[in-house]
Amino acid sequence: MAPLDPERDRAILDATMELLSEVGYDRMTVDQIAKRAKASKATIYRRWAGKPELVVDVICRRFDMDAPLGQDTGSLRGDLAAIFRSLCEAVERKHTLVIGLSSTLVSNQELARTLREHMQAKDLGDVKALLGQAVERGELAAAVDPGRLFAVAEALVWHRMIFNGPPLDEAFVAESVDGVLLPVVTAWAAA
């Protein structure tokens, strides 16, 4: 990627985000992005190989993918609620874009492949540490795979967002933690 003036970069990413929301991926063109950003197509193509790379850059850079997931609250339930609440906040920030792209990701393998290649694996070190502290406090019988926990938590949040819609409020957090996450994690640790 060639360096670009930060203001020009921001204008192009903003225009891409706006157009994705307005017309969707399939109907959005690099010409439209260039016009909205007041940039030339050559400027865009110097920085991004094409529309898929530009959209992936919007997804990866516009949303804080590496925000801490939770904090030590002193209890397993509190830690799970903090992790789940952080996940809900992250999904709320990006849900419109991801929902809008979901059908395109199924039908456009080039975009899906580009996204998979550029998405970094989520760092679950903080989740692993919180689960380890729960073991030390005697709340869990053994260590639990943080990736497995995160996959279940993500599935709950995305299911809610896609099929029921917002809000991802405190009632949803409590219901998910008390009704699913806490029992599942406890069972995994006991197995």
Side-chain angles (χ1 to χ4, degrees), residues 73-95:
T73 65
S75 73
L76 176 59
R77 189 207 178 276
D79 292 351
L80 290 174
I83 291 166
F84 197 73
R85 194 174 296 110
S86 293
L87 179 58
C88 287
E89 290 167 1
V91 169
E92 283 182 317
R93 284 193 302 272
K94 64 184 173 183
H95 88 277

Side-chain angles (χ1 to χ4, degrees), residues 16-173:
T16 303
M17 181 78 164
E18 291 165 7
L19 285 163
L20 277 170
S21 297
E22 291 170 20
V23 301
Y25 179 83
D26 291 329
R27 292 183 24 218
M28 179 181 72
T29 67
V30 174
D31 284 327
Q32 291 171 318
I33 296 166
K35 183 177 179 182
R36 172 119 6 143
K38 296 181 174 71
S40 69
K41 282 176 45 178
T43 298
I44 293 172
Y45 283 117
R46 271 195 303 273
R47 174 77 167 78
W48 295 277
K51 186 168 75 167
E53 292 79 10
L54 179 54
V55 169
V56 167
D57 203 17
V58 166
I59 294 168
C60 293
R61 290 178 60 195
R62 283 300 165 120
F63 304 107
D64 190 3
M65 302 297 216
D66 292 321
L69 284 174
Q71 66 231 10
D72 183 5
T73 65
S75 73
L76 176 59
R77 189 207 178 276
D79 292 351
L80 290 174
I83 291 166
F84 197 73
R85 194 174 296 110
S86 293
L87 179 58
C88 287
E89 290 167 1
V91 169
E92 283 182 317
R93 284 193 302 272
K94 64 184 173 183
H95 88 277
T96 303
L97 178 61
V98 174
I99 299 261
L101 284 174
S102 60
S103 63
T104 303
L105 289 169
V106 171
S107 63
N108 186 318
Q109 290 304 303
E110 179 186 9
L111 177 61
R113 185 176 39 261
T114 304
L115 183 59
R116 281 191 301 273
E117 289 169 359
H118 289 86
M119 290 294 284
Q120 297 178 356
K122 180 75 178 150
D123 179 5
L124 298 175
D126 48 351
V127 175
K128 184 177 182 176
L130 293 173
L131 292 169
Q133 290 167 352
V135 172
E136 290 172 13
R137 290 189 301 259
E139 294 176 286
L140 287 177
V144 174
D145 177 5
R148 196 173 175 198
L149 168 62
F150 193 73
V152 170
E154 265 190 323
L156 288 169
V157 174
W158 282 109
H159 181 274
R160 171 68 170 254
M161 191 60 81
I162 292 167
F163 295 107
N164 300 97
L168 301 179
D169 56 10
E170 283 303 312
F172 175 63
V173 170

